[in-house]
Amino acid sequence: MAIIKCPECNHDISDKAPVCPCCGAPIAGHVVMCPVCGKVYFSNQAECPQCHHVTGEEAAGQTSEQEAAQAIVQTFEQDSEQKPEPTSEQNKPANAHKNNRIVIMVVVVVALVVCGICYAFYHNAQSDKEQQAYEMAMTSQDADVLQNYLAMYPNAPEEHIDSIQAHLEMLKAIDRDWTNAMVSGSKSAIERYLAEHPDSPFKNIAQHMIDSIDWSVASAAGNVESLEAYIESHPDGEHLEEANDAIKNLNATTVQPEDKLLVNGVFNSFFQSLNARDEEALTSTTSPVMAKFLGKSNATRSDVVTFMHKIYKSGVSSMKWQSMDDYNISKKDVGSQKIEYTVTFSAKQTVTHDDNTIEDSQYRVSAKVSPEGLISEFNMVKILE
């Protein structure tokens, strides 16, 4: 007995196996090994498919069979030559004994035939049962199933036992590799295990572990890019819904470049309106009722206009306000995908007096911008030099 490569599918099998358990190709009595290169190929092929060596064994075998057949025919002809028959008078005394012997022989033959048929049925039934158990074990990924086969059929065909033991060793190797991957706990080790054993019984567990590792990394990073990378790698991942929810929450609270442009535009318009002393433009940047404006609760647009006239006191010829573009912005989802911005930044005021003297002042501004893009709260404190 030897373990060979199936000429059809190249799987390891016993050379005594009736058929390959993987592809069904006939093996025992149907394959030969090339004496030159060692390639195993089907015996009905005229030459080795690898080195094209012609063994000549098939022709020699046919000649031997023909000679044996001729010898059997000659022997049969010699034994069947007729001998001189005795006279009828000589046959009469022996006829009765001869008939009795014939009857006994017939009965014995019939009994033997019946016993043979019964034994054949029993043997075939046992053989069929063993064959079914063998086929089931060879397709199983459970080592216990193979061990049970070996225990139940110790007298199974040698080629079956060899194939089962080879399959059992393969499963043990898979178990060892899986244990090593589990102990390492690394994603690369688990991925390498799956690449080496794509049909492993631990495939689902391994995929679950990879999914969990990637999700742990993405959620710990806590940014949209890492979450989107998880979704791309695991389109059917176990944490897909959590990833989408996290992205939605991050988009609702993480300030994007477009958010900064919106806030910057609102306050630039507010300060430009102050510089131009344009009441209509100024009030268009604020909510009709503001939660607070320079300390006053529920301030109206009239309060904003009053503030503008107040700062243009006597002796002021012009004024220039500008933000220092050091915005610190936070977002809040106030419902229905509406965003409110809370903003802090610095602003510079340059006042030119009628006598051409210039006075600069710095202020720290804290404000809020409504989902409609209007200033809903505005407070500022002068920064002393």
Side-chain angles (χ1 to χ4, degrees):
M1 183 282 301
I3 299 300
I4 62 172
K5 295 284 186 181
C6 173
E8 185 68 27
C9 65
N10 210 36
H11 276 74
D12 290 338
I13 57 171
S14 170
D15 62 351
K16 297 186 182 301
V19 297
C20 175
C22 297
C23 67
I27 301 300
H30 295 275
V31 297
V32 296
M33 180 179 291
C34 178
V36 176
C37 67
K39 171 70 175 179
V40 176
Y41 61 95
F42 292 113
S43 56
N44 60 1
Q45 292 178 266
E47 59 182 21
C48 174
Q50 183 163 294
C51 69
H52 305 294
H53 174 73
V54 179
T55 63
E57 293 179 356
E58 182 177 357
Q62 291 176 352
T63 302
S64 298
E65 291 175 359
Q66 291 174 357
E67 292 174 352
Q70 290 175 356
I72 293 172
V73 171
Q74 290 176 357
T75 302
F76 177 77
E77 290 176 348
Q78 292 174 359
D79 291 342
S80 62
E81 290 181 355
Q82 294 183 352
K83 297 181 179 181
E85 295 183 358
T87 62
S88 59
E89 291 296 329
Q90 292 175 331
N91 286 337
K92 287 180 181 179
N95 282 342
H97 295 289
K98 184 177 181 180
N99 291 337
N100 289 336
R101 286 198 303 270
I102 292 174
V103 171
I104 293 172
M105 291 177 63
V106 169
V107 172
V108 171
V109 170
V110 170
L112 290 175
V113 169
V114 171
C115 291
I117 292 173
C118 293
Y119 176 77
F121 275 114
Y122 172 78
H123 179 74
N124 288 339
Q126 291 298 108
S127 179
D128 289 345
K129 186 177 180 181
E130 183 275 332
Q131 180 67 27
Q132 292 175 359
Y134 168 73
E135 292 175 357
M136 182 183 74
M138 286 300 293
T139 58
S140 175
Q141 298 296 319
D142 188 346
D144 290 339
V145 174
L146 281 80
Q147 294 284 12
N148 289 338
Y149 170 87
L150 293 175
M152 292 181 63
Y153 302 100
N155 298 320
E158 185 180 358
E159 62 270 18
H160 284 192
I161 293 178
D162 291 342
S163 296
I164 290 292
Q165 289 176 338
H167 189 47
L168 188 58
E169 285 302 316
M170 180 192 70
L171 291 182
K172 289 180 180 179
I174 291 175
D175 286 344
R176 286 194 298 270
D177 291 348
W178 172 243
T179 300
N180 293 335
M182 287 284 290
V183 170
S184 73
S186 71
K187 177 183 174 182
S188 60
I190 299 173
E191 288 178 332
R192 184 167 57 253
Y193 170 83
L194 284 177
E196 294 174 356
H197 307 290
D199 298 323
S200 165
F202 305 108
K203 180 178 180 179
N204 291 337
I205 300 175
Q207 290 175 335
H208 163 76
M209 292 182 64
I210 292 174
D211 183 276
S212 297
I213 291 172
D214 285 350
W215 170 244
S216 178
V217 171
S219 58
N223 55 61
V224 173
E225 292 76 14
S226 62
L227 292 167
E228 288 178 340
Y230 168 81
I231 293 174
E232 183 177 355
S233 300
H234 304 276
D236 299 319
E238 299 174 20
H239 304 279
L240 188 62
E241 184 175 349
E242 294 174 73
N244 284 321
D245 288 342
I247 290 174
K248 180 180 178 182
N249 292 333
L250 284 172
N251 286 334
T253 58
T254 303
V255 176
Q256 304 296 334
E258 55 268 25
D259 297 318
K260 186 175 181 180
L261 287 174
L262 184 149
V263 170
N264 187 43
V266 169
F267 288 103
N268 280 343
S269 296
F270 177 80
F271 288 131
Q272 288 171 6
S273 300
L274 282 178
N275 297 337
R277 302 178 73 172
D278 186 337
E279 294 183 7
E280 184 177 353
L282 179 65
T283 55
S284 68
T285 64
T286 63
S287 298
V289 178
M290 304 173 67
K292 276 188 178 181
F293 182 74
L294 299 178
K296 183 178 180 180
S297 301
N298 299 321
T300 64
R301 285 173 171 171
S302 296
D303 295 316
V304 178
V305 173
T306 299
F307 161 73
M308 183 183 70
H309 291 307
K310 185 177 179 181
I311 60 176
Y312 278 96
K313 55 189 175 182
S314 176
V316 174
S317 61
S318 65
M319 187 179 298
K320 181 180 180 182
W321 288 85
Q322 65 179 23
S323 71
M324 303 304 294
D325 201 27
D326 56 350
Y327 292 102
N328 184 1
I329 306 170
S330 61
K331 295 169 63 176
K332 179 182 179 181
D333 188 347
V334 294
S336 302
Q337 297 183 337
K338 293 183 177 181
I339 303 299
E340 180 184 70
Y341 299 92
T342 299
V343 188
T344 58
F345 63 95
S346 300
K348 181 180 180 181
Q349 179 195 38
T350 301
V351 178
T352 302
H353 297 278
D354 292 340
D355 59 1
N356 291 327
T357 60
I358 298 175
E359 181 182 0
D360 291 332
S361 300
Q362 292 266 359
Y363 291 86
R364 190 64 182 167
V365 178
S366 59
K368 287 186 178 181
V369 177
S370 70
E372 292 75 28
L374 300 174
I375 300 172
S376 58
E377 187 172 325
F378 186 90
N379 292 286
M380 64 181 179
V381 176
K382 188 173 182 179
I383 301 173
L384 298 178
E385 295 181 358

